[in-house]
């Protein structure tokens, strides 16, 4: 800009935005001359909520991607009611949110045909209680977890020592079985969420608190859709 001679370039510039640039120009928040230079061949891509009927095909396309299911994992899918639940959701997070939902489904429902209830309560609502088959068993397990640790009776709750690995064997005192994978996953999710909360979303500091590499923490955040 401001030069006296043309400079020949052999490049192609591709830009994307979810903002209304014309409106931003009116608000003096985006340069009008830059918009004119970029807006040579505009392509309007509808949001996911504007093409809900395409969701089954989009999901099928994503599930063909090997990154969703590795060789040692059971593939998953959605039954008719599951797809209906997906197509009645408004998808404020657009296609990224759909990808997160599929990542979550891979973790929670391997090898299953996911139905409406599982979609609404677990994948969209992320209701962790839905991971347990029996509410009564769930309540018994977590009530025992509340008592784990090294505190003596009469001590304040915030003075309790955290439970040791051996303490978890007491879960069998109130239940005949314990879903180890679900329990460890839930504990990991809670600790990651708390670490992120106490560090205002700073993944580097949260990773230090969790004794994890930052890249490992980021992968877990993606994995659980946090």
């Amino acid at each position: 800009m401001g030069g006296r001679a043309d400079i020949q370039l052999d490049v192609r510039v591709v830009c994307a935005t979810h903002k209304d640039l014309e409106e931003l120009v009116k608000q003096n928040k985006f340069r009008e001359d830059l918009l004119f230079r970029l807006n040579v061949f505009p392509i309007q891509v509808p949001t996911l909520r504007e093409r809900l009927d395409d969701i089954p095909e989009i999901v099928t396309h994503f599930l063909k991607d090997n990154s969703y299911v590795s060789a040692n994992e059971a593939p998953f899918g959605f039954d008719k009611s599951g797809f209906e639940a997906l197509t009645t959701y408004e998808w404020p997070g657009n296609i990224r949110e759909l990808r997160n939902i599929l990542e979550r489904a891979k973790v929670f429902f391997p090898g299953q045909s996911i139905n409406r209830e599982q979609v609404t309560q677990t994948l969209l609502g992320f209701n962790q209680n839905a991971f347990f088959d029996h509410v009564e068993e769930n309540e018994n397990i977590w009530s025992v977890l509340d008592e784990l640790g090294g505190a003596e009776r009469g001590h304040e709750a915030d003075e309790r020592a955290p439970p040791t690995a051996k303490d978890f064997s007491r879960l069998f005192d109130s239940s005949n079985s314990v879903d180890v994978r679900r329990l460890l996953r839930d504990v990991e999710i809670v600790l990651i969420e708390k670490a992120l909360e106490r560090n205002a979303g700073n993944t580097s500091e949260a990773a230090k608190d969790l004794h994890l590499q930052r890249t490992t923490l980021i992968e877990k955040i993606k994995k659980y859709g946090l």
Side-chain angles (χ1 to χ4, degrees), residues 93-147:
N94 215 348
I95 203 72
R96 289 188 181 89
E97 185 177 10
L98 178 58
R99 284 184 177 273
N100 287 341
I101 291 300
L102 296 181
E103 290 286 354
R104 196 175 294 167
K106 177 180 71 173
V107 175
F108 298 142
F109 303 112
Q112 298 186 39
S113 180
I114 304 170
N115 59 35
R116 176 188 295 275
E117 182 178 358
Q118 291 168 323
V119 169
T120 56
Q121 294 188 7
T122 304
L123 299 183
L124 297 178
F126 201 24
N127 180 0
Q128 295 185 25
N129 290 333
F131 302 150
F132 294 86
D133 296 327
H134 303 288
V135 174
E136 182 177 356
E137 178 185 4
N138 179 36
E139 292 176 348
N140 288 338
I141 286 177
W142 288 105
S143 65
V144 174
L145 280 176
D146 289 339
E147 299 171 359

Coordinates of all heavy atoms in Angstrom, one line a residue, residues 93-147:
G93 N -21.9 -24.4 19.2 CA -20.4 -24.5 18.9 C -20.1 -25.0 17.5 O -18.9 -25.2 17.2
N94 N -21.1 -25.1 16.7 CA -21.0 -25.5 15.3 C -20.2 -26.8 15.1 O -20.3 -27.7 16.0 CB -20.2 -24.4 14.5 CG -20.7 -24.2 13.1 OD1 -21.5 -25.1 12.6 ND2 -20.4 -23.1 12.5
I95 N -19.4 -27.0 14.1 CA -18.8 -28.2 13.7 C -17.8 -28.7 14.8 O -17.6 -29.9 15.0 CB -18.2 -28.2 12.3 CG1 -18.1 -29.6 11.7 CG2 -16.9 -27.5 12.4 CD1 -19.4 -30.1 11.3
R96 N -17.1 -27.7 15.4 CA -16.2 -28.1 16.5 C -16.9 -28.8 17.6 O -16.3 -29.8 18.2 CB -15.4 -26.9 17.0 CG -14.5 -26.3 16.0 CD -13.6 -25.2 16.6 NE -12.7 -24.5 15.7 CZ -13.0 -23.5 14.9 NH1 -14.2 -23.0 15.0 NH2 -12.1 -23.0 14.1
E97 N -18.1 -28.4 18.0 CA -18.8 -29.0 19.1 C -19.2 -30.4 18.7 O -19.1 -31.3 19.5 CB -20.1 -28.2 19.4 CG -20.8 -28.7 20.6 CD -22.0 -27.9 21.0 OE1 -22.4 -27.0 20.2 OE2 -22.6 -28.1 22.1
L98 N -19.6 -30.6 17.4 CA -19.9 -32.0 17.0 C -18.7 -32.9 17.0 O -18.8 -34.0 17.5 CB -20.4 -31.9 15.5 CG -20.8 -33.3 14.9 CD1 -21.8 -34.0 15.7 CD2 -21.3 -33.1 13.4
R99 N -17.5 -32.4 16.7 CA -16.3 -33.2 16.8 C -16.1 -33.6 18.3 O -15.7 -34.7 18.6 CB -15.1 -32.4 16.2 CG -15.1 -32.4 14.7 CD -13.8 -31.7 14.2 NE -13.7 -31.7 12.8 CZ -13.1 -32.6 12.1 NH1 -12.6 -33.7 12.7 NH2 -13.0 -32.5 10.8
N100 N -16.3 -32.6 19.2 CA -16.1 -32.9 20.6 C -17.0 -34.0 21.1 O -16.7 -34.8 21.9 CB -16.2 -31.6 21.4 CG -15.1 -30.7 21.3 OD1 -14.0 -31.0 20.8 ND2 -15.3 -29.4 21.6
I101 N -18.3 -33.9 20.6 CA -19.3 -34.9 21.0 C -18.8 -36.3 20.5 O -19.0 -37.3 21.3 CB -20.6 -34.6 20.4 CG1 -21.2 -33.3 21.0 CG2 -21.6 -35.7 20.5 CD1 -21.4 -33.4 22.5
L102 N -18.3 -36.4 19.3 CA -17.8 -37.7 18.8 C -16.6 -38.2 19.6 O -16.5 -39.4 19.9 CB -17.5 -37.6 17.3 CG -18.6 -37.3 16.4 CD1 -18.2 -37.2 15.0 CD2 -19.8 -38.3 16.6
E103 N -15.7 -37.3 20.0 CA -14.6 -37.7 20.9 C -15.1 -38.2 22.2 O -14.6 -39.2 22.7 CB -13.7 -36.5 21.1 CG -12.9 -36.0 19.9 CD -11.8 -37.0 19.5 OE1 -11.5 -37.9 20.3 OE2 -11.1 -36.8 18.5
R104 N -16.1 -37.5 22.7 CA -16.7 -38.0 24.0 C -17.4 -39.3 23.9 O -17.3 -40.2 24.7 CB -17.7 -36.9 24.5 CG -18.1 -37.0 25.9 CD -19.0 -35.8 26.3 NE -18.3 -34.6 26.2 CZ -18.9 -33.4 26.2 NH1 -20.2 -33.3 26.3 NH2 -18.1 -32.3 26.2
A105 N -18.1 -39.5 22.7 CA -18.7 -40.8 22.5 C -17.7 -41.9 22.4 O -18.0 -43.0 22.9 CB -19.6 -40.7 21.2
K106 N -16.6 -41.7 21.8 CA -15.5 -42.7 21.7 C -15.1 -43.2 23.0 O -14.8 -44.4 23.3 CB -14.4 -42.1 20.9 CG -13.2 -43.1 20.7 CD -12.1 -42.5 20.0 CE -11.4 -41.4 20.7 NZ -10.1 -40.9 20.0
V107 N -15.0 -42.2 24.0 CA -14.5 -42.6 25.3 C -15.6 -43.3 26.1 O -15.3 -44.3 26.8 CB -14.1 -41.3 26.1 CG1 -13.7 -41.6 27.5 CG2 -12.9 -40.6 25.4
F108 N -16.8 -42.8 26.1 CA -17.9 -43.3 27.0 C -18.7 -44.5 26.4 O -19.2 -45.3 27.2 CB -18.9 -42.2 27.3 CG -18.2 -41.0 28.0 CD1 -18.6 -39.7 27.7 CD2 -17.2 -41.3 29.0 CE1 -18.0 -38.7 28.4 CE2 -16.6 -40.2 29.6 CZ -17.0 -38.9 29.4
F109 N -18.8 -44.6 25.1 CA -19.6 -45.7 24.5 C -18.9 -46.5 23.4 O -19.4 -46.6 22.3 CB -20.9 -45.1 24.0 CG -21.7 -44.3 25.0 CD1 -21.9 -42.9 24.9 CD2 -22.3 -44.9 26.0 CE1 -22.6 -42.2 25.8 CE2 -23.0 -44.2 27.0 CZ -23.2 -42.9 26.9
P110 N -17.8 -47.0 23.7 CA -17.1 -47.8 22.7 C -17.9 -49.1 22.3 O -18.4 -49.8 23.2 CB -15.7 -48.2 23.4 CG -16.0 -48.1 24.8 CD -17.0 -47.0 25.0
G111 N -18.0 -49.3 21.0 CA -18.6 -50.5 20.6 C -20.1 -50.5 20.7 O -20.8 -51.6 20.6
Q112 N -20.7 -49.4 21.0 CA -22.2 -49.3 21.2 C -22.9 -48.5 20.1 O -22.3 -47.7 19.4 CB -22.5 -48.6 22.6 CG -21.9 -49.4 23.8 CD -22.4 -48.7 25.1 OE1 -23.5 -48.3 25.2 NE2 -21.5 -48.7 26.1
S113 N -24.2 -48.8 20.0 CA -25.1 -48.0 19.2 C -25.8 -47.0 20.1 O -26.6 -47.4 20.8 CB -26.1 -48.9 18.4 OG -26.9 -48.2 17.6
I114 N -25.4 -45.8 20.0 CA -25.8 -44.8 21.0 C -27.2 -44.3 20.7 O -27.6 -44.0 19.6 CB -24.8 -43.6 21.0 CG1 -23.4 -44.1 21.2 CG2 -25.2 -42.6 22.0 CD1 -22.3 -43.1 20.9
N115 N -28.0 -44.3 21.8 CA -29.5 -44.0 21.7 C -29.7 -42.5 22.1 O -28.8 -41.8 22.5 CB -30.3 -44.9 22.4 CG -30.0 -45.0 23.9 OD1 -29.7 -43.9 24.5 ND2 -30.2 -46.1 24.5
R116 N -31.0 -42.1 22.0 CA -31.4 -40.7 22.4 C -31.0 -40.4 23.8 O -30.4 -39.3 24.0 CB -32.9 -40.6 22.2 CG -33.4 -39.2 22.6 CD -34.9 -39.2 22.6 NE -35.5 -39.3 21.2 CZ -35.6 -38.3 20.4 NH1 -35.3 -37.1 20.7 NH2 -36.1 -38.6 19.2
E117 N -31.3 -41.2 24.7 CA -31.1 -40.9 26.1 C -29.6 -40.7 26.4 O -29.2 -39.8 27.1 CB -31.6 -42.0 27.0 CG -31.4 -41.7 28.5 CD -32.0 -42.8 29.4 OE1 -32.6 -43.8 28.8 OE2 -31.9 -42.8 30.6
Q118 N -28.7 -41.6 25.8 CA -27.3 -41.4 25.9 C -26.8 -40.1 25.3 O -25.9 -39.5 25.9 CB -26.6 -42.6 25.3 CG -26.8 -43.9 26.1 CD -26.4 -45.2 25.4 OE1 -26.5 -45.3 24.2 NE2 -25.9 -46.1 26.1
V119 N -27.4 -39.7 24.2 CA -27.0 -38.5 23.6 C -27.3 -37.3 24.4 O -26.5 -36.4 24.7 CB -27.6 -38.4 22.2 CG1 -27.4 -36.9 21.6 CG2 -27.0 -39.4 21.2
T120 N -28.6 -37.2 24.9 CA -29.1 -36.1 25.6 C -28.5 -36.0 27.0 O -28.1 -34.9 27.4 CB -30.6 -36.1 25.6 OG1 -31.1 -37.3 26.3 CG2 -31.2 -36.0 24.3
Q121 N -28.4 -37.1 27.7 CA -28.0 -37.0 29.1 C -26.5 -37.1 29.3 O -25.9 -36.4 30.2 CB -28.6 -38.2 29.9 CG -30.1 -38.1 30.0 CD -30.7 -39.1 31.0 OE1 -29.9 -39.9 31.6 NE2 -32.0 -39.2 31.0
T122 N -25.8 -37.8 28.4 CA -24.3 -38.0 28.6 C -23.5 -37.1 27.6 O -22.6 -36.4 28.0 CB -24.0 -39.5 28.4 OG1 -24.7 -40.2 29.3 CG2 -22.5 -39.7 28.7
L123 N -23.8 -37.2 26.3 CA -23.0 -36.5 25.3 C -23.2 -35.0 25.3 O -22.3 -34.2 25.3 CB -23.2 -37.1 23.9 CG -22.8 -38.6 23.9 CD1 -22.9 -39.1 22.4 CD2 -21.4 -38.9 24.3
L124 N -24.5 -34.6 25.2 CA -24.9 -33.2 25.1 C -25.0 -32.6 26.5 O -24.4 -31.5 26.8 CB -26.2 -33.0 24.4 CG -26.2 -33.5 22.9 CD1 -27.6 -33.3 22.3 CD2 -25.2 -32.7 22.1
G125 N -25.6 -33.3 27.4 CA -25.8 -32.8 28.8 C -24.6 -33.1 29.7 O -24.4 -32.4 30.7
F126 N -23.8 -34.1 29.3 CA -22.6 -34.5 30.0 C -22.9 -34.7 31.5 O -22.3 -34.2 32.4 CB -21.5 -33.4 29.9 CG -20.1 -34.0 30.2 CD1 -19.9 -35.4 30.1 CD2 -19.1 -33.2 30.7 CE1 -18.6 -35.9 30.4 CE2 -17.8 -33.7 31.0 CZ -17.6 -35.1 30.8
N127 N -24.0 -35.5 31.7 CA -24.4 -35.9 33.0 C -23.6 -37.1 33.5 O -23.9 -38.2 33.0 CB -25.9 -36.2 33.0 CG -26.4 -36.7 34.4 OD1 -25.7 -36.7 35.4 ND2 -27.7 -36.9 34.5
Q128 N -22.6 -36.9 34.3 CA -21.7 -38.0 34.7 C -22.5 -39.2 35.4 O -22.0 -40.3 35.4 CB -20.6 -37.5 35.5 CG -19.7 -36.6 34.8 CD -18.5 -36.1 35.5 OE1 -18.0 -36.8 36.4 NE2 -17.9 -35.0 35.2
N129 N -23.6 -38.9 36.1 CA -24.3 -39.9 36.7 C -24.9 -40.9 35.8 O -25.2 -42.1 36.1 CB -25.5 -39.3 37.6 CG -24.9 -38.6 38.8 OD1 -23.9 -38.9 39.3 ND2 -25.7 -37.6 39.2
A130 N -25.0 -40.5 34.5 CA -25.6 -41.4 33.5 C -24.6 -42.6 33.1 O -25.0 -43.5 32.5 CB -25.9 -40.7 32.2
F131 N -23.3 -42.4 33.6 CA -22.4 -43.5 33.3 C -22.6 -44.7 34.1 O -22.1 -45.8 33.8 CB -20.9 -43.0 33.6 CG -20.6 -41.7 32.8 CD1 -19.7 -40.8 33.3 CD2 -21.2 -41.5 31.5 CE1 -19.3 -39.7 32.6 CE2 -20.8 -40.4 30.8 CZ -19.9 -39.5 31.3
F132 N -23.3 -44.6 35.2 CA -23.6 -45.7 36.1 C -24.9 -46.4 35.8 O -25.9 -45.7 35.6 CB -23.5 -45.3 37.5 CG -22.1 -44.8 38.0 CD1 -21.8 -43.5 37.8 CD2 -21.3 -45.7 38.5 CE1 -20.5 -43.1 38.1 CE2 -20.0 -45.3 38.9 CZ -19.6 -44.0 38.7
D133 N -25.0 -47.7 35.8 CA -26.2 -48.4 35.4 C -27.2 -48.3 36.5 O -28.4 -48.3 36.2 CB -25.9 -49.8 35.1 CG -25.0 -50.0 33.9 OD1 -25.1 -49.2 33.0 OD2 -24.2 -50.9 33.9
H134 N -26.8 -48.2 37.7 CA -27.7 -48.1 38.8 C -27.5 -46.9 39.7 O -26.4 -46.8 40.3 CB -27.6 -49.4 39.7 CG -27.8 -50.7 38.9 ND1 -29.1 -51.1 38.4 CD2 -26.9 -51.6 38.4 CE1 -28.9 -52.2 37.7 NE2 -27.7 -52.5 37.7
V135 N -28.5 -46.1 39.9 CA -28.3 -44.9 40.7 C -28.0 -45.3 42.2 O -27.1 -44.6 42.8 CB -29.6 -44.1 40.7 CG1 -29.5 -42.9 41.6 CG2 -29.9 -43.6 39.3
E136 N -28.6 -46.3 42.7 CA -28.3 -46.7 44.1 C -26.9 -47.1 44.2 O -26.2 -46.7 45.2 CB -29.2 -47.8 44.5 CG -29.0 -48.3 45.9 CD -30.0 -49.4 46.3 OE1 -30.8 -49.7 45.5 OE2 -29.9 -49.9 47.4
E137 N -26.3 -47.8 43.3 CA -24.9 -48.2 43.4 C -24.0 -47.0 43.3 O -23.0 -46.9 44.0 CB -24.6 -49.2 42.3 CG -23.1 -49.6 42.3 CD -22.7 -50.4 41.1 OE1 -23.6 -50.7 40.2 OE2 -21.6 -50.9 41.0
N138 N -24.4 -46.1 42.4 CA -23.6 -44.8 42.3 C -23.6 -44.1 43.6 O -22.5 -43.6 44.0 CB -24.3 -44.0 41.2 CG -23.5 -42.6 41.0 OD1 -22.3 -42.6 41.1 ND2 -24.3 -41.6 40.7
E139 N -24.7 -43.9 44.3 CA -24.8 -43.2 45.5 C -24.0 -43.9 46.6 O -23.3 -43.2 47.4 CB -26.2 -43.0 46.0 CG -27.1 -42.1 45.0 CD -28.5 -42.1 45.4 OE1 -28.9 -42.9 46.3 OE2 -29.2 -41.2 44.9
N140 N -24.0 -45.2 46.6 CA -23.3 -45.9 47.6 C -21.8 -45.7 47.4 O -21.0 -45.5 48.4 CB -23.6 -47.4 47.6 CG -25.0 -47.7 48.1 OD1 -25.5 -46.9 48.9 ND2 -25.6 -48.8 47.7
I141 N -21.3 -45.8 46.2 CA -19.9 -45.7 45.9 C -19.4 -44.4 46.3 O -18.4 -44.2 47.0 CB -19.6 -46.0 44.4 CG1 -19.8 -47.5 44.1 CG2 -18.2 -45.5 44.0 CD1 -19.6 -47.9 42.7
W142 N -20.1 -43.3 45.9 CA -19.6 -41.9 46.2 C -19.8 -41.6 47.6 O -19.0 -40.7 48.1 CB -20.3 -40.9 45.2 CG -19.8 -41.1 43.8 CD1 -20.5 -41.6 42.8 CD2 -18.5 -40.7 43.3 NE1 -19.7 -41.6 41.7 CE2 -18.5 -41.1 42.0 CE3 -17.4 -40.1 43.9 CZ2 -17.4 -40.9 41.2 CZ3 -16.3 -39.9 43.1 CH2 -16.3 -40.3 41.8
S143 N -20.7 -42.2 48.3 CA -20.8 -41.9 49.8 C -19.6 -42.5 50.5 O -19.1 -41.9 51.5 CB -22.1 -42.5 50.3 OG -22.1 -43.9 50.2
V144 N -19.1 -43.7 50.0 CA -17.9 -44.3 50.6 C -16.7 -43.4 50.2 O -15.8 -43.2 51.0 CB -17.7 -45.7 50.1 CG1 -16.4 -46.3 50.5 CG2 -18.9 -46.6 50.6
L145 N -16.7 -42.9 49.0 CA -15.5 -42.1 48.6 C -15.4 -40.8 49.5 O -14.3 -40.4 49.8 CB -15.7 -41.6 47.1 CG -15.3 -42.6 46.1 CD1 -15.6 -42.0 44.7 CD2 -13.8 -42.9 46.1
D146 N -16.6 -40.3 49.9 CA -16.6 -39.1 50.8 C -15.9 -39.4 52.1 O -15.3 -38.5 52.8 CB -18.0 -38.6 51.1 CG -18.6 -38.0 49.9 OD1 -17.9 -37.6 49.0 OD2 -19.8 -37.9 49.8
E147 N -15.9 -40.7 52.5 CA -15.3 -41.1 53.8 C -13.9 -41.5 53.7 O -13.2 -41.8 54.7 CB -16.2 -42.2 54.4 CG -17.6 -41.8 54.7 CD -18.5 -43.0 55.1 OE1 -17.9 -44.1 55.1 OE2 -19.7 -42.8 55.3

